[in-house]
């Protein structure tokens, strides 16, 4: 890509999109974002122009994309909320793909998930699989990136495990905790995505970190790094979900869903490919032990702008 070419990143004010945007700006690229929160404070100032998604107005969406060469798509939902369902998120993404075709986008870099499968019984992974097929069947050159679970100082999973371990005298692990995860650092994911944009061939690759832990091992690792004194207990998944629901009610957030527990326990967040991420979560936790989990990261506040305690 030439420095003068325009790159569009969906969700540059959020999480994964923010790290991709930072990478592109550091390389001297021109960046624009499509966002569901166009009035939210722009952390990039005048360097990144923001436009609304306009899913309900495809012509406006096409106009926003015109002149861009690469589209980095991070749009998705973690769980259904209000009128926004997984089915609606799939519909929105298909609208975005068609708009990209009409606007003359040359390549789409899509952030999916490991083990995405349109036949999956889990709505999150099924929706991701359906979108992957839509991209493959489109006229666009594509790079589909399948991250496992992404970590950074403001992520949902690792940060909020740390937060609970700091704030609560007890931490409940669903089931035995023997299911596995292979976390990837958000900056590594951004590097993989930007590198994939420069490839000529269409491709589908996993983005996973260099370390694999069982959930139990990961919780204990985090507890050790942040010097938590919380007692770690094991609960049946249904009971653990009930406990998470109570805490979520108190802090006005959704900490955990049944689909997420099912996905974790099905070992869907590990890769069969050689790890492409370079940053170990153990090393990162050592370096960020004083900061990780000091504040709760609210999914509802991030995406629905609700107030939390």
């Amino acid at each position: 890509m030439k420095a003068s070419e325009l790159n569009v990143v969906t969700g540059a004010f959020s999480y994964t999109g923010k790290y991709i945007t930072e990478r592109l700006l550091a390389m001297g690229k021109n960046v624009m974002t499509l966002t569901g929160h166009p009035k939210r404070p722009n952390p990039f100032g005048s360097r990144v122009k923001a436009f609304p998604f306009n899913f309900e107005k495809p012509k406006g969406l096409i106009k926003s994309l015109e002149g861009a060469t690469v589209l980095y798509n991070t749009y998705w939902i973690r769980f259904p909320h209000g009128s926004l369902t997984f089915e609606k998120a799939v519909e929105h993404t298909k609208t975005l793909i068609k708009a990209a075709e009409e606007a003359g986008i040359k390549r789409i870099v899509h952030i999916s998930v490991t083990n995405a499968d349109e036949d999956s019984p889990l709505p999150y992974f099924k929706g991701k699989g359906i979108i992957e097929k839509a991209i493959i069947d489109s006229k666009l050159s594509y790079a589909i990136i399948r991250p496992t679970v992404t970590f950074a100082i403001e992520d949902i999973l690792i940060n909020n495990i740390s937060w609970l371990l700091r704030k609560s005298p007890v931490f409940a692990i669903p089931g035995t905790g023997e299911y596995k995860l292979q976390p990837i650092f958000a900056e590594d994911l951004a590097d993989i995505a930007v590198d994939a944009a420069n490839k000529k061939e269409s491709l589908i690759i996993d983005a996973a970190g260099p370390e694999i832990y069982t959930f139990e091992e990961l919780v204990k690792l985090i507890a050790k790094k942040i010097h938590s004194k919380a007692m770690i207990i094991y609960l049946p998944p249904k009971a653990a979900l009930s406990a998470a629901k109570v805490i979520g009610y108190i802090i006005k957030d959704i900490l955990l869903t049944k689909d997420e527990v099912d996905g974790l326990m099905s070992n869907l967040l590990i890769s069969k490919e050689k790890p492409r991420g370079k940053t170990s979560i153990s090393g990162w936790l050592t370096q960020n032990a004083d900061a990780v989990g000091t504040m709760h990261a609210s999914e509802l506040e991030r995406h629905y702008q609700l107030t939390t305690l």
Side-chain angles (χ1 to χ4, degrees):
M1 292 183 295
K2 298 178 181 178
S4 59
E5 292 179 344
L6 178 62
N7 299 262
V8 177
V9 182
T10 63
F13 302 162
S14 189
Y15 179 40
T16 305
K18 181 189 73 174
Y19 283 92
I20 292 173
T21 300
E22 288 174 347
R23 278 288 180 275
L24 292 170
L25 290 174
M27 296 168 66
K29 307 296 181 182
N30 293 324
V31 183
M32 182 192 83
T33 188
L34 296 176
T35 174
H37 311 288
K39 296 182 180 180
R40 181 173 288 179
N42 186 337
F44 301 106
S46 61
R47 294 184 298 165
V48 177
K49 291 184 178 180
F51 295 91
F53 276 123
N54 273 328
F55 291 128
E56 310 304 326
K57 300 177 181 178
K59 289 184 179 179
L61 184 56
I62 293 169
K63 187 174 181 180
S64 297
L65 292 170
E66 287 177 347
T69 303
V70 180
L71 169 63
Y72 293 85
N73 180 43
T74 71
Y75 170 77
W76 191 235
I77 60 173
R78 195 183 123 208
F79 48 73
H81 183 74
S83 62
L84 186 54
T85 63
F86 282 119
E87 291 78 13
K88 179 62 72 172
V90 167
E91 181 183 324
H92 284 169
T93 309
K94 286 183 175 180
T95 299
L96 177 64
I97 293 167
K98 290 179 181 178
E101 289 179 317
E102 292 292 326
I105 294 287
K106 302 299 182 184
R107 188 166 176 84
I108 182 171
V109 179
H110 174 69
I111 306 302
S112 186
V113 69
T114 46
N115 298 295
D117 183 355
E118 60 181 325
D119 295 320
S120 174
L122 301 175
Y124 187 101
F125 292 85
K126 178 178 181 177
K128 287 284 194 178
I130 293 172
I131 292 168
E132 286 189 7
K133 187 176 187 304
I135 291 172
I136 293 168
D137 291 343
S138 75
K139 300 175 183 178
L140 300 169
S141 167
Y142 62 84
I144 294 173
I145 314 298
R146 291 174 156 182
T148 47
V149 56
T150 310
F151 68 89
I153 204 67
E154 74 278 47
D155 85 89
I156 295 295
L157 182 64
I158 305 302
N159 179 80
N160 287 350
I161 289 174
S162 305
W163 180 77
L164 284 168
L165 285 168
R166 289 182 186 277
K167 298 294 184 180
S168 175
V170 177
F171 185 95
I173 289 179
T176 64
E178 293 179 357
Y179 37 91
K180 298 178 180 180
L181 303 88
Q182 191 176 358
I184 182 164
F185 186 37
E187 291 186 16
D188 288 348
L189 174 58
D191 286 338
I192 293 167
V194 172
D195 180 67
N198 292 315
K199 305 292 185 183
K200 293 183 179 180
E201 71 277 13
S202 291
L203 51 87
I204 302 175
I205 57 175
D206 283 359
E211 295 178 328
I212 297 176
Y213 290 95
T214 65
F215 188 73
E216 176 189 43
E217 290 171 339
L218 182 60
V219 170
K220 289 183 176 180
L221 174 68
I222 296 171
K224 180 180 179 181
K225 295 293 185 180
I226 67 173
H227 306 291
S228 170
K229 296 181 180 179
M231 177 185 296
I232 296 173
I233 63 173
Y234 303 81
L235 292 177
K238 187 176 292 187
L241 279 168
S242 295
K245 187 174 182 179
V246 171
I247 297 172
Y249 178 79
I250 295 171
I251 63 174
K252 297 182 180 179
D253 193 19
I254 297 176
L255 289 182
L256 193 63
T257 70
K258 182 180 183 300
D259 284 343
E260 288 172 334
V261 172
D262 289 344
L264 278 169
M265 298 183 74
S266 298
N267 285 312
L268 295 176
L269 298 178
I270 56 176
S271 172
K272 297 177 183 177
E273 299 178 10
K274 182 179 178 180
R276 291 180 170 85
K278 300 177 181 178
T279 306
S280 69
I281 190 168
S282 59
W284 181 86
L285 283 168
T286 298
Q287 295 175 353
N288 294 274
D290 292 338
V292 66
T294 53
M295 294 184 66
H296 170 68
S298 170
E299 182 77 7
L300 293 182
E301 184 179 23
R302 179 179 293 175
H303 294 292
Y304 300 98
Q305 296 182 303
L306 299 181
T307 303
T308 60
L309 297 176

